[in-house]
Amino acid sequence: MGELLLTVSTRRRIIFVILLAIAIAGVAVYLRQPLEPVYQGRRLSAWLRDFQIRTSKYHESEQDEKAAEAIRQIGTNAIPFLLKDLQSKDTAFEMKLWEFWNKIYFRIPSYIHVPHNFAWFQRERAVYAFEALGQSAEPAIPALREIINSQELIRSGHSEVVRYSLHALLGTDSDRAVPIFINAMTNADIEVRELAIRCLGKLRSKARDAVPALMQALDDASPDVRGPAAYSLGKITLEPKVVVPLLMKRTSDSDARVRGNAVQSLGLFGDDASRALPFLQNAVKDNDEWVRKHAAEAVIRIQCETCDGAIIRGPKGDKKIALLLAGHEFAEGGETILTALATHKAKALFFLTGDFLDNPKFTNLVHQIVEDGHDLGVHSDKHLLYCSWGDSKTTLVSRKKFTRDLYENRYKIWRADDSIDRWSYRFRSKYLLPPYEHYNREIADWTCDHDMTIVNPTAGTLSHADYTGEADTNFVSSQAIFDSIVAKEQQDPNGLNGFLLSFHFGAGASRADKFHTHFGELLDYLTGKGYQFVRIDELLEPKQEKQNE
């Protein structure tokens, strides 16, 4: 009996020791793990859960903004945890639960929230966090490269991890990402290849080194590769001498998606793709409506002069001029300009800053602009200087600041015009006149990311100098401005056809020689020469598109 008791007692001790060892080992493992970073008393995982799943990173809620700012404050300390979330995988049970959740999602009350622990949500929010970190997340690029190049993930059926890692890599907005995307174009998974190609397009001019690989992809056997390749070459818009002929060839592709992307991209090259006009005119008669639509747009765009991603002159075939009126601090010429436009039954696009629209002194003028049938365009909210002067044109604003300023201006335009619907205006507000008429290719790329295009005054006149004051070293008199326009009209083989003629709504007290007092006289002269004054959208967009709106 004693031996039996001793045996039982010994076994209990052994079990206790084993359990104690397991507990100690567990604590040791826990303590060895990096502590989750904290900001304002909340852990990183809590901030990540605040991100709301959305369809576009450009439509963020206030909650999203707070979460993004928290991620930026945490900085690179967040990267190990984000990389772990990117590689999250659901168990078989969780995948079944996810399928069930999708079936009942639209049948449940809105106050019942989706569980946060599905791998899909963890990966999605990790991508948002990488976008918030931007280029400060560059230390994560080697680890992201390893995930993206992992063949084991593809073989095991987890290509979604690779795809989310590509999105995260794009969020770093780094030149160092380009070689990784190029390498991913050879991935065994076609969805990964397609996404890598599209990511290169979203990097735009930063992806210059990818142009040869994308040109080669235009001959891929799969339209799921050819189509995105044509799309991305248009977004990058470089090397027109070699790219344009290849895109022309794809306008007769057997797949409509490829044809549509090819004609759309040709339009983005502007006058560098002028040789493609016969191909685009043929595409206007395509049996696919989507192809026809983009071909009609491209026919006009390739007749436009472009510079660093901006349109600086419209088609030269008709005697049409687009008047661009800019307003920020001053508007003493407002009534005179509007009266002259009404007298000539002329339309213009008024590019007004958010500060102008907020100024109660200008409220009546803005209402009059809208009532007279003119359009309001984006001129930045705070009249930012986007880039430095001189040849370097170094970008002076962050992408985040540019985007917020752009959308603030657009919101105030919508608020100023009760006749336009908030969502439809998203498609009407297509053009940005940069403050100081100054920009660089990076700013043009960012603008295109918002489905907008930069427009800038056509070179050859001094119209944009009507803001200069007598005490300024660059002062230009009103008579000199007037004479420069007349001289250009007489000397240019195409006259002022397709011209973007820019003026300011006012110049303030520093200029006594106000050009707006000559504005009506200028319109008289140009009308006598047979010119029509149209809004810029009427100059740069197909007629049928305007009718459909």
Side-chain angles (χ1 to χ4, degrees):
M1 176 67 75
E3 292 179 0
L4 179 61
L5 290 174
L6 181 62
T7 303
V8 172
S9 176
T10 301
R11 286 177 178 173
R12 288 176 177 172
R13 289 193 187 98
I14 292 171
I15 292 172
F16 174 76
V17 171
I18 292 173
L19 292 175
L20 180 61
I22 292 173
I24 292 172
V27 171
V29 170
Y30 175 78
L31 292 176
R32 288 181 62 186
Q33 290 179 340
L35 293 177
E36 192 173 339
V38 175
Y39 175 69
Q40 292 185 346
R42 301 183 71 206
R43 293 183 301 168
L44 170 64
S45 56
W47 286 112
L48 289 173
R49 285 196 294 271
D50 278 356
F51 278 121
Q52 300 178 24
I53 303 302
R54 56 192 187 273
T55 56
S56 171
K57 65 181 179 182
Y58 303 120
H59 294 85
E60 299 175 347
S61 67
E62 183 178 349
Q63 182 173 309
D64 287 325
E65 278 295 313
K66 289 181 178 179
E69 180 58 28
I71 301 302
R72 285 190 285 271
Q73 292 298 324
I74 292 171
T76 55
N77 291 331
I79 289 176
F81 300 88
L82 300 180
L83 290 170
K84 181 180 177 182
D85 285 350
L86 275 178
Q87 298 173 79
S88 298
K89 305 180 188 71
D90 287 323
T91 64
F93 171 75
E94 287 172 329
M95 291 176 68
K96 291 291 184 183
L97 185 61
W98 176 244
E99 291 175 7
F100 172 73
W101 183 269
N102 278 333
K103 290 179 181 178
I104 68 170
Y105 181 75
F106 293 104
R107 303 177 188 176
I108 58 177
S110 59
Y111 57 79
I112 298 180
H113 299 290
V114 180
H116 295 293
N117 57 339
F118 284 125
W120 181 79
F121 288 96
Q122 291 175 281
R123 294 192 296 264
E124 191 84 5
R125 288 175 170 126
V127 170
Y128 295 162
F130 272 106
E131 291 171 355
L133 288 172
Q135 291 188 350
S136 62
E138 283 193 338
I141 289 180
L144 290 171
R145 180 196 298 115
E146 186 175 342
I147 298 171
I148 292 167
N149 292 341
S150 172
Q151 295 305 308
E152 178 58 32
L153 286 170
I154 302 298
R155 284 194 295 268
S156 61
H158 291 293
S159 63
E160 74 280 357
V161 173
V162 177
R163 294 197 298 274
Y164 274 95
S165 297
L166 286 169
H167 282 297
L169 180 63
L170 181 64
T172 67
D173 195 32
S174 172
D175 297 342
R176 294 169 56 194
V178 174
I180 303 174
F181 287 127
I182 294 174
N183 186 64
M185 288 174 60
T186 62
N187 195 284
D189 187 284
I190 193 168
E191 291 185 13
V192 171
R193 297 207 303 273
E194 178 184 355
L195 179 57
I197 291 171
R198 291 192 178 277
C199 286
L200 286 167
K202 291 178 180 179
L203 284 174
R204 297 189 182 272
S205 56
K206 286 185 178 181
R208 174 187 292 272
D209 292 343
V211 170
L214 291 170
M215 290 194 298
Q216 187 175 352
L218 285 176
D219 291 324
D220 194 274
S222 172
D224 291 331
V225 173
R226 298 197 305 275
Y231 162 91
S232 291
L233 285 167
K235 298 297 182 182
I236 296 170
T237 328
L238 294 171
E239 310 295 343
K241 290 183 179 180
V242 290
V243 172
V244 167
L246 295 179
L247 290 175
M248 289 162 54
K249 179 181 177 181
R250 286 298 148 203
T251 60
S252 59
D253 194 277
S254 59
D255 190 279
R257 295 169 297 172
V258 180
R259 298 198 302 276
N261 282 325
V263 298
Q264 187 177 24
S265 290
L266 285 168
L268 294 174
F269 276 92
D271 53 341
D272 283 333
S274 57
R275 70 191 114 167
L277 183 59
F279 295 83
L280 293 172
Q281 289 172 331
N282 188 56
V284 170
K285 299 176 286 186
D286 195 276
N287 57 13
D288 185 272
E289 181 181 0
W290 186 70
V291 176
R292 294 196 302 272
K293 174 182 179 295
H294 286 303
E297 294 171 351
V299 164
I300 293 178
R301 287 300 180 95
I302 67 168
Q303 299 178 65
C304 297
E305 288 185 16
T306 59
C307 178
D308 287 336
I311 294 177
I312 59 172
R313 187 170 185 172
K316 304 172 187 175
D318 297 319
K319 296 180 76 68
K320 293 181 179 180
I321 296 173
L323 298 171
L324 317 181
L325 281 302
H328 175 48
E329 295 180 280
F330 310 112
E332 70 270 16
E335 292 184 8
T336 302
I337 289 172
L338 286 172
T339 299
L341 290 171
T343 300
H344 292 83
K345 297 181 180 179
K347 299 302 178 186
L349 185 51
F350 287 80
F351 291 93
L352 308 178
T353 65
D355 286 347
F356 188 101
L357 293 164
D358 281 338
N359 194 328
K361 294 188 298 184
F362 304 149
T363 300
N364 290 337
L365 277 175
V366 174
H367 288 166
Q368 190 63 51
I369 290 169
V370 174
E371 288 176 8
D372 287 354
H374 305 293
D375 237 352
L376 302 180
V378 176
H379 195 40
S380 106
D381 188 50
K382 297 297 181 183
H383 206 256
L384 303 178
L385 179 61
Y386 290 148
C387 57
S388 63
W389 301 101
D391 294 337
S392 65
K393 288 190 175 182
T394 303
T395 303
L396 300 177
V397 296
S398 68
R399 186 168 190 158
K400 193 75 176 179
K401 184 174 183 178
F402 171 84
T403 298
R404 176 172 290 280
D405 179 86
L406 181 78
Y407 271 78
E408 283 294 320
N409 195 186
R410 287 178 62 153
Y411 171 75
K412 291 174 183 178
I413 290 172
W414 163 74
R415 190 180 62 186
D417 189 350
D418 295 334
S419 69
I420 53 179
D421 175 76
R422 181 175 185 178
W423 298 110
S424 68
Y425 189 70
R426 177 185 174 192
F427 300 99
R428 289 179 61 184
S429 180
K430 294 181 179 180
Y431 303 102
L432 164 67
L433 178 67
Y436 309 98
E437 290 80 45
H438 190 58
Y439 69 99
N440 60 16
R441 176 58 195 264
E442 185 170 40
I443 295 297
D445 287 347
W446 292 352
T447 303
C448 288
D449 281 342
H450 300 281
D451 298 321
M452 297 179 66
T453 302
I454 286 184
V455 292
N456 226 30
T458 307
T461 79
L462 299 173
S463 69
H464 60 283
D466 60 345
Y467 73 92
T468 56
E470 280 81 355
D472 296 337
T473 56
N474 61 339
F475 171 73
V476 180
S477 70
S478 294
Q479 188 60 53
I481 292 172
F482 196 105
D483 291 344
S484 74
I485 297 171
V486 172
K488 183 65 176 177
E489 197 281 328
Q490 294 174 347
Q491 296 167 10
D492 192 302
N494 297 295
L496 298 183
N497 294 5
F499 238 69
L500 310 185
L501 207 53
S502 173
F503 301 94
H504 292 84
F505 226 24
S510 65
R511 183 182 180 102
D513 179 19
K514 308 289 188 181
F515 185 79
H516 68 259
T517 61
H518 302 268
F519 189 72
E521 180 186 355
L522 177 65
L523 296 190
D524 287 340
Y525 172 80
L526 294 175
T527 300
K529 291 290 185 176
Y531 291 98
Q532 292 179 275
F533 306 104
V534 299
R535 292 193 322 222
I536 196 167
D537 53 339
E538 296 173 329
L539 184 67
L540 303 180
E541 298 172 22
K543 291 182 179 180
Q544 65 260 29
E545 182 176 329
K546 296 302 295 180
Q547 291 170 355
N548 289 339
E549 288 181 359

